[in-house]
């Protein structure tokens, strides 16, 4: 199946992330990531993750995921901009015509999903080139939710030492979406066969 995958990562306060994580999970970087896919059957899948270490593995922890078969998700294409629209999120990716290799994550064993039990789904090996994008996003659970606009650069995010110990919060999409975006770190689109 052909997949058109749009990826955006943004930086947040890492101590706020630490307060959300379930027991046994440790934050690797102050990053939240949104993946949005358009599949060749025209279905849409959106995933919300954060970088973690747990059970001797490193990768991403899924905070939430949605698909157009069960959730009210759509997308629009206007010129070189693709906008995903859901009741809880609006995110636009505008391609800029610059390609590069798909980022290699040496510390990515896969994505943890917490359902009835914890599952680690292996990471995909994508060798296709990516195309860089500009991005704008806004979570829509409340007026105070995170939003941001990219600056046209790809920026690194480094782990920070704990400074503030926030009260433990429920691990939920709404609580993660409420953590303010400090800056959009980068975004791209990649097309590949799954």
């Amino acid at each position: 199946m052909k997949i058109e995958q749009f990826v955006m990562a943004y930086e947040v306060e890492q101590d706020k992330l630490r307060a959300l994580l379930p027991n046994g999970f440790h934050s690797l970087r102050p990053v939240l990531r949104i993946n949005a896919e358009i599949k060749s059957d025209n279905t849409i899948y959106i995933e919300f993750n954060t970088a973690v270490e747990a059970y001797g593995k490193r990768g991403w922890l899924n905070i939430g995921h949605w698909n157009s078969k069960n959730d009210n998700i759509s997308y629009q294409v206007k010129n070189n901009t693709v906008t995903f629209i859901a009741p809880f999120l609006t995110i636009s990716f505008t391609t800029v015509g610059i390609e590069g290799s798909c980022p290699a994550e040496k510390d990515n064993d896969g994505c943890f999903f917490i359902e009835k039990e914890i599952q680690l789904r292996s990471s995909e090996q994508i060798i296709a080139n990516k195309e860089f994008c500009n991005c704008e996003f806004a979570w829509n659970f409340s007026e105070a939710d995170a939003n941001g606009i990219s600056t046209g650069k790809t920026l690194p995010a480094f782990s920070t030492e704990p400074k503030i110990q926030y009260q433990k919060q429920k691990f939920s999409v709404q609580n993660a979406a409420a953590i303010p975006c400090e800056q959009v770190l980068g975004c791209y689109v990649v097309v590949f066969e799954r």
Side-chain angles (χ1 to χ4, degrees), residues 62-133:
N62 182 259
I63 304 168
H65 56 279
W66 306 268
N67 67 65
S68 56
K69 291 179 182 175
N70 302 320
D71 303 294
N72 184 15
I73 303 170
S74 63
Y75 73 95
Q76 299 173 349
V77 179
K78 184 175 181 183
N79 299 323
N80 60 333
T81 300
V82 176
T83 302
F84 295 89
I85 303 159
F88 50 86
L89 173 70
T90 303
I91 185 166
S92 295
F93 295 84
T94 303
T95 55
V96 296
I98 300 171
E99 286 193 6
S101 61
C102 208
E105 296 178 326
K106 294 179 175 72
D107 62 352
N108 185 7
D109 293 309
C111 190
F112 292 96
F113 285 79
I114 301 175
E115 291 165 355
K116 291 181 181 176
E117 56 186 43
I118 297 170
Q119 299 175 4
L120 177 64
R121 298 182 190 167
S122 296
S123 59
E124 289 183 296
Q125 300 300 317
I126 300 172
I127 57 172
N129 278 353
K130 64 183 177 184
E131 182 175 359
F132 292 99
C133 297

Side-chain angles (χ1 to χ4, degrees), residues 6-18:
F6 297 80
V7 180
M8 185 275 289
Y10 65 100
E11 186 173 7
V12 297
E13 184 183 336
Q14 194 167 9
D15 286 334
K16 290 187 176 182
L17 270 182
R18 290 180 177 112

